[in-house]
Amino acid sequence: MTDVADTEAPEAPDTGASEDPGLSGADGSFVAPSAMEDDVEALFAGDTGVLPYAARRALALVLQRRYLSAAGHPTEWKALLAHQGVLASRCHDMFVELVVDRDYEIAYKRQVRSDGLSIPVLLKDEPYRRVETLLMLFARNRFRQEQGAGERAAYVDAEELVTYALGFLAQDETNLAGRRREIDNAVAALVREHVLDEVAAGRYRVQPVVEVLLPVERLRELSAWLRSPSATEPAEQTEPDGPAEPAETTDVVDEDEEARA
């Protein structure tokens, strides 16, 4: 009979696992790998931030402007998607909502409003002016038309915008030079907001964000308002910053678009 005490225990099979000191402690127990935030180098004196540089830029750009687009800032857009949960949490800490539209590849912010909560409002109420909204409506219709025709981009000319806006003047309007300046200023504002991008002198590419700024539902409201015999100026919208519904508008939705919706 074999003596049990003299029997050698079989060697443990080699599993091929790496004895990485970063994954095991001194006693052989498992140690969780370091969090991503622990590897971020300080970017400036006293920096306690935990996000990488590109993600910080994405957050700062969203807070700085009406929207961030993949086309305009591809590096920051990728970082925003990679860290969307953390960036949204940072915004929530300030009572601000981060809205990410992956279809149109844009991100923007929106003020949180909740009944029963006293929330400090950080975002300024900056509704679009009447003329700016008119031009956006024209640009949006052109964008939809080109999309329907299979084109990847839509363009508008300055004179087209001017002619369209002038068509909404009162019959007794006499200050045409002043109105022309107002329209030119509105075009310049939409260029600053990157609703329109100037590709040549007097020629602009319509950015997809116009679809978010003026959704079909909003256009239907404008159409009903214009068709009302007792139409007055529409109530001002209180949605601040970000792609928000405009305060003043005057145009109708074409019937084809309503049918498509």
Side-chain angles (χ1 to χ4, degrees):
M1 183 177 65
T2 304
D3 190 346
V4 176
D6 294 336
T7 304
E8 293 185 0
E11 293 185 359
D14 183 4
T15 60
S18 172
E19 294 186 5
D20 188 343
L23 297 179
S24 59
D27 60 354
S29 60
F30 178 79
V31 177
S34 299
M36 174 198 71
E37 291 83 356
D38 295 339
D39 298 330
V40 176
E41 296 182 2
L43 300 179
F44 50 86
D47 179 20
T48 60
V50 298
L51 289 171
Y53 176 66
R56 297 192 202 192
R57 276 188 51 84
L59 178 60
L61 287 171
V62 168
L63 294 175
Q64 179 191 55
R65 55 184 60 202
R66 281 198 181 268
Y67 72 95
L68 169 72
S69 71
H73 295 86
T75 300
E76 288 76 14
W77 174 255
K78 291 178 181 177
L80 183 145
L81 295 183
H83 302 279
Q84 183 177 342
V86 178
L87 298 184
S89 178
R90 296 286 189 275
C91 290
H92 291 167
D93 286 340
M94 298 180 288
F95 300 107
V96 172
E97 181 184 2
L98 174 65
V99 182
V100 179
D101 190 318
R102 292 175 180 253
D103 291 334
Y104 291 109
E105 296 190 315
I106 62 171
Y108 57 95
K109 58 192 176 296
R110 187 160 54 202
Q111 181 69 53
V112 170
R113 300 178 188 274
S114 179
D115 294 339
L117 289 179
S118 177
I119 296 177
V121 176
L122 291 179
L123 305 184
K124 296 181 294 184
D125 288 333
E126 291 183 344
Y128 286 102
R129 299 176 183 274
R130 180 174 183 269
V131 176
E132 292 169 0
T133 306
L134 276 173
L135 300 183
M136 283 196 296
L137 286 163
F138 181 83
R140 186 188 186 282
N141 284 337
R142 177 63 58 82
F143 183 80
R144 274 297 182 92
Q145 289 170 2
E146 296 302 312
Q147 271 198 326
E151 298 294 335
R152 300 185 61 181
Y155 299 89
V156 293
D157 293 324
E159 287 307 314
E160 290 182 295
L161 296 169
V162 170
T163 300
Y164 182 78
L166 288 176
F168 289 85
L169 290 178
Q171 295 295 327
D172 56 354
E173 177 64 57
T174 58
N175 186 13
L176 296 181
R179 292 293 173 256
R180 175 62 189 257
R181 285 194 299 272
E182 184 181 3
I183 296 169
D184 290 341
N185 290 338
V187 172
L190 296 183
V191 171
R192 287 195 302 271
E193 298 290 350
H194 298 287
V195 177
L196 301 176
D197 278 350
E198 189 168 19
V199 296
R203 186 163 178 80
Y204 306 92
R205 178 171 178 166
V206 182
Q207 294 302 308
V209 71
V210 74
E211 289 266 44
V212 179
L213 291 166
L214 294 177
V216 172
E217 294 77 10
R218 178 59 176 157
L219 291 176
R220 284 175 170 168
E221 293 175 10
L222 301 177
S223 177
W225 170 72
L226 282 176
R227 291 167 181 168
S228 172
S230 58
T232 58
E233 282 298 314
E236 182 169 330
Q237 301 295 317
T238 57
E239 185 71 38
D241 213 67
E245 293 181 356
E248 303 176 31
T249 53
T250 61
D251 199 8
V252 296
V253 181
D254 62 49
E255 298 298 331
D256 290 340
E257 185 168 79
E258 289 197 18
R260 288 194 297 271

